[in-house]
Amino acid sequence: MAEAQKRQGGRPLPPSARGPPHPLRPRFEPVDREKTCPLLLRVFTKIGGHHTKEDFAVRGKEPKDEVQIYTWKDATLRELTDLVKEVSQAARKRDARLSFAFVYPDKNGRFVVREVSLSLFLSLSPCKYIYTL
């Protein structure tokens, strides 16, 4: 068996420098939508920009413009866009720009707003899945 590679000073190299990396496996398996229960995605619509993190600071006092979407983790942004368009007349306009952001608590419990997609309605990538954002 070959001796482990070492840096100057005699410490072993990190695993990635010891040899070829392990083969990559797909990040997620495709979801069987017939057998898998959907998740609840709470969508808050707003014209002109995103809500601020302070809008979500108090549980139960989130913005009133909520749309609840039951979907799967492999849903595309195109699918979400189509669902939002069904309930929001402003999103159906020809020049509508849709911007998606995640709102979630960080490890200290403070909310973070992270923009994940900004695109023209017609050019929204059908390949972006929720789990890749």
Side-chain angles (χ1 to χ4, degrees):
M1 182 172 258
E3 189 177 316
Q5 295 178 350
K6 299 197 180 215
R7 306 181 197 176
Q8 284 182 322
R11 291 190 326 243
L13 290 171
S16 61
R18 292 185 185 150
H22 294 284
L24 296 176
R25 63 173 209 236
R27 192 167 178 178
F28 286 99
E29 297 293 323
V31 174
D32 181 348
R33 292 184 177 196
E34 294 293 320
K35 295 180 181 176
T36 305
C37 184
L39 58 93
L40 172 62
L41 184 65
R42 297 176 71 191
V43 177
F44 297 90
T45 60
K46 183 177 179 185
I47 296 173
H50 292 286
H51 289 284
T52 65
K53 60 185 177 183
E54 289 78 19
D55 293 337
F56 298 93
V58 179
R59 180 96 173 148
K61 294 192 177 187
E62 294 87 359
K64 301 291 182 209
D65 51 6
E66 180 178 6
V67 177
Q68 294 186 348
I69 298 175
Y70 288 92
T71 189
W72 292 265
K73 67 181 180 181
D74 67 343
T76 63
L77 291 178
R78 167 58 73 188
E79 289 177 87
L80 297 179
T81 298
D82 291 342
L83 292 169
V84 169
K85 283 176 27 188
E86 286 180 19
V87 296
S88 173
Q89 188 168 350
R92 288 184 228 132
K93 291 184 178 179
R94 185 178 197 91
D95 61 346
R97 291 173 27 151
L98 299 179
S99 178
F100 291 89
F102 289 142
V103 179
Y104 57 91
D106 66 9
K107 63 183 178 183
N108 299 316
R110 285 177 257 145
F111 281 92
V112 175
V113 177
R114 182 172 64 95
E115 190 171 306
V116 294
S117 174
L118 173 64
S119 58
L120 292 175
F121 156 77
L122 293 175
S123 64
L124 193 61
S125 171
C127 298
K128 284 193 174 182
Y129 297 98
I130 294 174
Y131 66 84
T132 64
L133 302 174

